[in-house]
Amino acid sequence: MAGRLLLVWRLLVRSLRRHRTENVLLLVAITAATATLTLGLTLNELVNRPYERTRSATAGPDLVVEPAFTGPQARDALTPLTTLPGVTDHSGPYPLAFLALTARDTTVRVVVEGRDDTPAAVDRPAVTDGTWTRPGGVVVERAFADALHLHTGDTVSVNGHPLHVTGFAVTAARPAYPRPGWHFPGSITTEGGGLVWVDRRDIATLAGDQPLSYTLNLRLTDPRTGIAAVDPAGGGIGSDARFHGWRFRTGPQIAEVNSMLNGPARQALLIGSWLLTALAVTGVAGIVAGRAIGQRRRVGLLKAVGAGPAMIATIHLAEYLVIGLAAAGTGLAAGWLAAPALFRPAAGLIGSVGVHPPPPRMVVAAVALALGIAVTATLGSVVRAATTSTVHALADAATPPRRRRWAIWLSRRLPTALLIGVRINARRPRRARLITVNTLITTTAIAVVLMALAQDRAPLKLGYSELPDVRDERTTQAMLLLVGVVCVLALLNTAVSTWTAVLDTRHPLAVARALGATPGQAGLGLATAQLLPAIPGVVGGILVGLVTYFAGDDNRFAPASWMLSAAFGVLLAVVALTAIPALAAARRPVADTLRSAAT
């Protein structure tokens, strides 16, 4: 056993040294795949868990209570709740006013909460920029500030009173913009708006003639108790009449509202993660297929000296797994650090991604997924290499094309470059199919984004002005991020596919040049071999993108010029990435290529 392990190790080291170009390509491909998968997991972390992090960082309440009436009567009604048996801590009652805020030429509804200078035991809004409240100043909830494009030091007007923006903050006691619970005093209907905090001593002046409402934040012995901690009947039949018309918000209810704001973005990320996974598998499978083809003679030599199928499979898998493990660490770090800079799914919440090391469960998941992709992509090639006969492996013969009369008749009339491209694809059909899948996924993602950008989006009506719907903005941001990652990974896959094709077709192209083809025709033939399978992928991607976006919805089509531009852009990118290396490889002297032997 020790001797076999030593042999595997020596062959592994020798292969890593001899095939540096192929190993670098494989390392880059698996790193991109791992980074893509880690990015998807991290984005899911950003979308699904921001409220929990915000609640922990701000000492969020388990229950928020707001009476149905206003004035000192409301404040006095809240005070006895702080001593109930199920209540362990509290903050407030804090005064509330439901007013209007004007920033530049935009006037919107705003919930104004009066706070003290000292930090509260429950609900301590976390200041992300600037400082906390002071007389004459206002702290704006961060998502609301982003919507209004505010900066610290700006001046806004609340109910006609100018205030300086001293900072931005986030809280877990109210849903983020645009659902902080704005309503007319005494009304049960809530409207969209924003949230700000001011010094408690200023709120009466800002409210003017409007009576103040009050809110109380409670920490419960058992957070699952919820409303029952205050009203055992939970507001149902037989409920205490004192609480009719009161507003109760539990932590899970606030989290659910915030989650609804990220729902479309989460769906886009979910669909995109499947596209990215398929694209990653395609890229790794393409380069592994090229490596397996180049190592057929090596497999034959190993079998000739007595290596069995298990040994052959072990040697191949060991090399891929070592490269995969090296790439997994790089991809994991890249995806984890890039996610918060690329996507902020909820500006009104806290995200710790990228600041601390990734959690162990994410490390395990990312490494497992990366290795799973590597094994899935390599298993077919490894099995074929292990089961190939010794004679066939030593001959290192390419897959013979299926000869049909009509194909032969047509090929005689094709230009030389096109003929070379068709013959290359006929001899390596699996690589051609991978190119089709690569362009299909890429074009599908682009088509879906173009369809999304073409839709008419209803703005948010905030009482006095209208602003873009934050859900649409986050969804568009998620889509643009995903299509950007898809395009980068697809370009990398195309580059890798081109180089593997260059390495694989050195001898066939040399033979074609020996028979009279010019270097330009040989290079254009190799580029054509990459372009031909990309065309059906582009056409299919446009159609799949249209069907995917219109599933269950009644939407409008994107302009035909957009779709045509996208299709030609993808094909142009394929041509640009394949023509230069193909022409460079075709200029190698024919004699040098024919004298070299496959390894």
Side-chain angles (χ1 to χ4, degrees):
M1 179 61 70
R4 292 185 177 182
L5 292 178
L6 180 60
L7 176 60
V8 171
W9 172 255
R10 288 181 175 178
L11 290 173
L12 171 63
V13 174
R14 181 178 177 84
S15 179
L16 292 176
R17 289 177 177 176
R18 285 180 59 86
H19 305 93
R20 295 181 181 178
T21 302
E22 296 92 330
N23 289 330
V24 169
L25 291 176
L26 183 60
L27 180 67
V28 172
I30 298 181
T31 298
T34 307
T36 300
L37 294 173
T38 304
L39 182 63
L41 292 173
T42 308
L43 292 177
N44 189 62
E45 183 86 359
L46 284 170
V47 171
N48 288 335
R49 298 181 59 84
Y51 179 78
E52 288 78 2
R53 292 191 295 269
T54 304
R55 189 177 185 280
S56 175
T58 62
D62 298 319
L63 182 64
V64 180
V65 185
E66 185 181 329
F69 36 86
T70 59
Q73 180 185 5
R75 183 183 55 206
D76 296 340
L78 290 172
T79 302
L81 303 184
T82 61
T83 58
L84 292 176
V87 177
T88 60
D89 211 341
H90 74 281
S91 64
Y94 295 118
L96 291 177
F98 303 95
L99 307 173
L101 178 146
T102 301
R104 302 181 181 89
D105 297 328
T106 303
T107 301
V108 296
R109 294 182 287 247
V110 64
V111 178
V112 182
E113 182 174 337
R115 299 297 293 256
D116 302 314
D117 297 334
T118 56
V122 181
D123 182 31
R124 297 188 297 270
V127 178
T128 59
D129 296 282
T131 60
W132 187 232
T133 59
R134 61 174 182 262
V138 58
V139 176
V140 185
E141 189 261 331
R142 191 173 68 180
F144 186 40
D146 281 1
L148 294 176
H149 305 290
L150 293 176
H151 302 87
T152 55
D154 289 351
T155 299
V156 298
S157 174
V158 176
N159 206 24
H161 298 274
L163 297 172
H164 294 290
V165 178
T166 62
F168 307 142
V170 297
T171 180
R174 284 182 176 272
Y177 166 85
R179 296 288 181 261
W182 191 98
H183 62 89
F184 290 103
S187 173
I188 61 173
T189 303
T190 59
E191 305 287 350
L195 171 65
V196 299
W197 297 271
V198 299
D199 190 273
R200 185 194 286 263
R201 291 163 289 186
D202 290 341
I203 192 168
T205 302
L206 297 176
D209 297 334
Q210 182 186 115
L212 296 178
S213 301
Y214 285 86
T215 183
L216 177 67
N217 304 307
L218 299 178
R219 180 74 53 75
L220 305 179
T221 305
D222 183 3
R224 295 172 298 179
T225 306
I227 301 175
V230 176
D231 180 10
I237 298 176
S239 176
D240 193 327
R242 294 179 303 164
F243 301 118
H244 286 175
W246 285 40
R247 297 176 183 273
F248 297 93
R249 292 190 301 274
T250 64
Q253 289 173 339
I254 298 173
E256 182 179 0
V257 174
N258 284 327
S259 178
M260 292 173 60
L261 297 176
N262 291 324
R266 182 186 295 110
Q267 185 179 8
L269 292 175
L270 177 62
I271 296 174
S273 65
W274 286 104
L275 292 176
L276 291 174
T277 301
L279 202 58
V281 172
T282 301
V284 177
I287 191 170
V288 168
R291 286 173 59 85
I293 291 170
Q295 294 181 348
R296 281 181 177 177
R297 185 174 177 82
R298 182 191 184 201
V299 171
L301 292 174
L302 290 172
K303 287 191 172 186
V305 297
M311 189 67 173
I312 299 295
T314 301
I315 293 172
H316 281 72
L317 283 176
E319 185 176 350
Y320 297 135
L321 291 179
V322 167
I323 296 176
L325 285 174
T330 306
L332 179 66
W336 176 258
L337 295 175
L342 294 174
F343 185 57
R344 286 175 59 185
L349 299 173
I350 291 176
S352 60
V353 170
V355 179
H356 305 291
R361 57 185 175 80
M362 181 172 290
V363 175
V364 173
V367 173
L369 286 172
L371 294 181
I373 285 181
V375 171
T376 301
T378 60
L379 193 58
S381 298
V382 170
V383 170
R384 284 191 296 271
T387 57
T388 301
S389 67
T390 305
V391 175
H392 182 70
L394 288 174
D396 192 20
T399 302
R402 296 179 179 178
R403 302 187 181 276
R404 298 182 176 89
R405 290 186 177 181
W406 68 267
I408 296 175
W409 177 85
L410 179 63
S411 64
R412 290 174 179 174
R413 290 158 176 79
L414 292 177
T416 302
L418 183 57
L419 173 62
I420 293 174
V422 170
R423 288 182 61 84
I424 289 175
N425 286 336
R427 299 177 73 87
R428 304 299 188 199
R430 293 188 183 90
R431 183 170 58 218
R433 287 194 288 267
L434 291 176
I435 295 173
T436 302
V437 173
N438 186 58
T439 53
L440 173 67
I441 295 174
T442 306
T443 312
T444 298
I446 295 175
V448 169
V449 171
L450 292 179
M451 290 291 296
L453 295 177
Q455 307 308 311
D456 292 327
R457 302 299 183 184
L460 286 173
K461 298 180 180 180
L462 302 176
Y464 310 93
S465 301
E466 294 181 346
L467 293 176
D469 194 332
V470 65
R471 291 173 297 181
D472 295 333
E473 290 184 334
R474 291 172 186 168
T475 303
T476 302
Q477 183 186 7
M479 286 184 169
L480 292 176
L481 170 61
L482 285 169
V483 78
V485 176
V486 165
C487 289
V488 170
L489 191 55
L491 292 175
L492 179 61
N493 287 351
T494 303
V496 168
S497 175
T498 300
W499 278 111
T500 55
V502 167
L503 296 174
D504 179 42
T505 58
R506 286 177 296 181
H507 291 82
L509 289 181
V511 172
R513 290 176 57 192
L515 295 176
T518 65
Q521 290 173 334
L524 290 177
L526 183 56
T528 302
Q530 301 289 99
L531 180 62
L532 288 178
I535 294 175
V538 169
V539 175
I542 296 293
L543 297 178
V544 173
L546 295 177
V547 173
T548 300
Y549 195 86
F550 272 88
D553 292 321
D554 183 16
N555 297 319
R556 56 183 296 184
F557 283 98
S561 59
W562 292 12
M563 293 299 181
L564 291 175
S565 299
F568 284 113
V570 172
L571 294 177
L572 182 61
V574 172
V575 172
L577 286 173
T578 58
I580 296 177
L583 291 174
R587 295 186 178 278
R588 183 180 180 184
V590 175
D592 293 345
T593 302
L594 293 177
R595 279 198 301 265
S596 64
T599 55

